[in-house]
């Protein structure tokens, strides 16, 4: 296929959109074979079936590199209770909070979880996503953690989208281990990781390193098992407080450290040294009405690549819009529109350890979005507007 009459934001490097006016892209075997000005298309590609994009803007397809799209139930009732003035205790008594999602996820069949997740995935696909990371972490027992990851894998069979899985057994201590997180790590989290890995369900290992979740020593034990299994790691770090998760992630050469509102300059330095991506999640910042902004300037100063994601989850970020994440990254975190777009393309790919997509350069996967807009900054600028004209996944529209 030869795409012509397009304005192309190649994102070939990190310093500019790499705009090509009146450009063309040759696609062969699901890969980008050539990109450049329409007048320069090499003879070898001139015979390809041509598609005229009417001067529209083409970018790499979007990548949502941090989601919890698989879960049972939802927390709208709890949201309403809170806004009617219910206290934390009252919400907990009414069965709210993360334990309610764990209960609903354990109760649900794989078919029901998949059907529910697809409603969210479809919203993301409709805004140009071709690769989604999906975490476990609402099962928290030996059967339900692998079950969640099986559902995550099934998404990629049900829809034209790629899925990367992260094992998040260290998300919360389930009710039956309340007050004994170490026993949970030993008896459930690590054995379930080994079982899920043996079933081929795990692409990376994640954890929630936080005062209300797991400390660095507990996470280090999980990461040691990940290393033994040859799995890369990532970590929810410094979301609500600074307890050293970012440095732990850097010590383990993590693909990414995520959230990072409470990270500091030294944390940015350690991420730079380990080549770890900072994944920023403005949907959770917004939902929790957080006021501490992640140290964007320190990440810039130390050349830490920044990614952006929805963090789609029923508690702290019930958001299925990657375009809104772009807008929030710019409006709430002051990322430039170019940084935001890199954050949902090239840098999101890197946060997943994927090197074959996220930029429009020869040899990369032909995962592209065609937008009804003139300038790429419009993607971050607009609110609640979806200008997607076409989505190309592995060379197919
Ligand atoms: N960080 C969060 O904000 C969510 N999980 C996490 O690791 C909260 C998850 C939930 O409330 O369901
Ligand atoms: Fe998360």
């Amino acid at each position: 296929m030869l795409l012509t009459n397009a304005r192309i934001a190649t994102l070939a490097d990190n310093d500019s959109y790499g705009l090509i006016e009146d450009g063309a892209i040759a696609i062969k075997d699901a890969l980008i074979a050539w990109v450049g000005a329409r007048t320069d298309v090499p003879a070898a590609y001139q015979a390809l079936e041509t598609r005229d994009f009417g001067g529209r803007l083409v970018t790499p397809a979007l990548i949502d590199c941090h989601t919890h799209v698989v879960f049972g139930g939802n927390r709208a009732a709890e949201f309403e209770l809170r806004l009617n003035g219910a206290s934390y205790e009252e919400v907990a008594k009414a069965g709210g909070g993360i334990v309610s999602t764990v209960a609903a996820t354990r109760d649900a069949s794989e078919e029901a979880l998949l059907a529910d997740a697809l409603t969210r995935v479809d919203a993301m696909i409709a805004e140009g996503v071709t690769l989604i990371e999906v975490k476990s972490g609402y099962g928290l027992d030996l059967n339900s953690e692998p079950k969640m990851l099986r559902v995550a894998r099934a998404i990629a069979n049900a829809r034209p989208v790629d899925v990367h899985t992260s094992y998040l057994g260290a998300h919360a201590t389930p009710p039956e281990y309340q007050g004994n997180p170490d026993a949970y790590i030993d008896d459930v989290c690590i054995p379930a990781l080994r079982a899920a890995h043996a079933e081929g369900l795990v692409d990376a290992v994640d954890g929630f390193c936080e005062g209300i979740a797991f400390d660095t020593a507990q996470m280090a034990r999980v990461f040691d098992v990940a290393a033994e299994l040859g799995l890369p790691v990532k970590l929810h770090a410094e979301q609500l407080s600074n307890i050293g998760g970012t440095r732990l992630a850097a010590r383990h050469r993590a693909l990414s450290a995520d959230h990072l509102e409470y990270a500091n300059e030294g944390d940015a330095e350690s991420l730079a040294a380990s080549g770890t991506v900072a994944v920023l999640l403005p949907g959770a910042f917004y939902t929790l009405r957080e006021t501490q902004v992640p140290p964007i300037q320190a990440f810039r100063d130390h050349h830490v690549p920044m990614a952006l994601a929805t963090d789609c989850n029923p508690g702290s970020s019930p958001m299925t819009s990657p375009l809104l994440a772009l807008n929030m990254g710019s409006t709430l975190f002051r990322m430039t529109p170019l940084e935001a777009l890199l954050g949902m393309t090239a840098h999101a790919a890197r946060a997943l350890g994927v090197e074959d997509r996220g930029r429009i350069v020869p040899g990369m996967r032909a995962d592209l979005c065609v937008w009804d807009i003139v300038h790429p900054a419009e993607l971050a600028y607009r609110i609640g507007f979806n200008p997607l004209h076409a989505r190309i996944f592995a060379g197919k529209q």
Side-chain angles (χ1 to χ4, degrees):
M1 185 159 65
L2 183 68
L3 315 181
T4 64
N5 195 12
R7 306 184 69 236
I8 305 168
T10 61
L11 304 180
D13 58 55
N14 297 335
D15 305 325
S16 76
Y17 291 109
L19 273 180
I20 300 174
E21 300 290 344
D22 197 7
I25 301 172
I27 299 174
K28 275 196 106 170
D29 304 326
L31 300 179
I32 295 164
W34 181 89
V35 57
R38 176 155 59 153
T39 49
D40 297 343
V41 176
Y45 304 124
Q46 281 173 8
L48 290 175
E49 178 198 335
T50 299
R51 194 152 303 165
D52 186 313
F53 278 127
R56 292 185 179 86
L57 183 81
V58 178
T59 67
L62 301 185
I63 297 171
D64 196 342
C65 70
H66 180 140
T67 88
H68 312 244
V69 286
V70 174
F71 58 83
N74 71 63
R75 309 245 282 274
E78 168 186 335
F79 180 71
E80 184 155 43
L81 270 180
R82 277 188 213 282
L83 287 168
N84 278 299
S87 68
Y88 188 81
E89 280 74 25
E90 286 164 331
V91 169
K93 265 202 199 120
I98 194 166
V99 286
S100 69
T101 301
V102 172
T105 304
R106 287 176 176 179
D107 280 351
S109 66
E110 288 183 30
E111 292 70 28
L113 286 173
L114 177 63
D116 226 15
L118 288 177
T119 64
R120 297 181 274 273
V121 169
D122 285 341
M124 294 169 174
I125 289 174
E127 293 189 3
V129 167
T130 53
L131 169 58
I132 302 178
E133 184 258 18
V134 181
K135 301 174 194 298
S136 67
Y138 288 116
L140 310 182
D141 67 28
L142 292 168
N143 291 323
S144 307
E145 283 294 304
K147 174 176 81 173
M148 286 188 70
L149 295 177
R150 256 177 251 126
V151 172
R153 287 273 191 250
I155 291 170
N157 292 325
R159 293 291 186 272
V161 74
D162 285 330
V163 169
H164 269 236
T165 59
S166 297
Y167 175 80
L168 182 59
H171 190 195
T173 302
E176 61 276 17
Y177 280 90
Q178 217 36 261
N180 206 350
D182 283 301
Y184 168 72
I185 296 278
D186 291 333
D187 299 352
V188 179
C189 182
I190 289 172
L193 166 57
R194 291 186 188 280
H197 171 68
E199 220 183 300
L201 296 172
V202 183
D203 296 326
V205 175
D206 196 350
F208 189 20
C209 190
E210 191 56 65
I212 58 166
F214 297 97
D215 64 24
T216 52
Q218 288 157 346
M219 279 320 311
R221 285 199 282 135
V222 178
F223 281 1
D224 286 342
V225 176
E228 179 202 316
L229 299 175
L231 293 169
V233 300
K234 40 188 43 250
L235 191 63
H236 291 64
E238 269 65 89
Q239 180 187 2
L240 309 168
S241 61
N242 191 312
I243 64 164
T246 311
R247 284 165 213 241
L248 173 78
R251 271 203 300 285
H252 288 260
R253 304 241 151 234
L255 290 173
S256 70
D258 302 44
H259 285 288
L260 301 173
E261 277 84 343
Y262 288 81
N264 56 36
E265 178 105 25
D267 294 324
E269 275 171 40
S270 64
L271 292 179
S274 60
T276 301
V277 177
V279 176
L280 306 173
L281 304 167
F285 174 94
Y286 168 86
T287 301
L288 299 175
R289 308 186 80 226
E290 178 57 73
T291 53
Q292 170 103 2
V293 174
I296 302 293
Q297 191 55 46
F299 296 146
R300 281 188 193 122
D301 291 345
H302 296 282
H303 306 289
V304 177
M306 291 182 275
L308 263 175
T310 61
D311 195 15
C312 176
N313 78 67
S316 66
S317 189
M319 174 162 91
T320 48
S321 171
L323 289 171
L324 184 55
L326 289 178
N327 172 264
M328 286 180 170
S330 290
T331 303
L332 299 175
F333 291 170
R334 314 309 289 164
M335 294 169 79
T336 66
L338 172 60
E339 287 171 336
L341 186 56
L342 283 165
M344 292 205 95
T345 53
H347 292 162
R350 188 166 155 185
L352 297 176
V354 175
E355 281 167 9
D356 69 343
R357 62 195 86 179
R359 302 184 198 270
I360 302 179
V361 296
M364 292 247 176
R365 264 273 296 262
D367 283 7
L368 307 168
C369 284
V370 185
W371 309 97
D372 260 321
I373 56 174
V374 175
H375 194 276
E378 286 179 68
L379 293 172
Y381 157 74
R382 302 229 196 189
I383 304 171
F385 178 72
N386 181 4
L388 188 72
H389 171 77
R391 192 191 72 125
I392 293 167
F393 173 66
K396 292 205 180 68
Q397 188 168 335

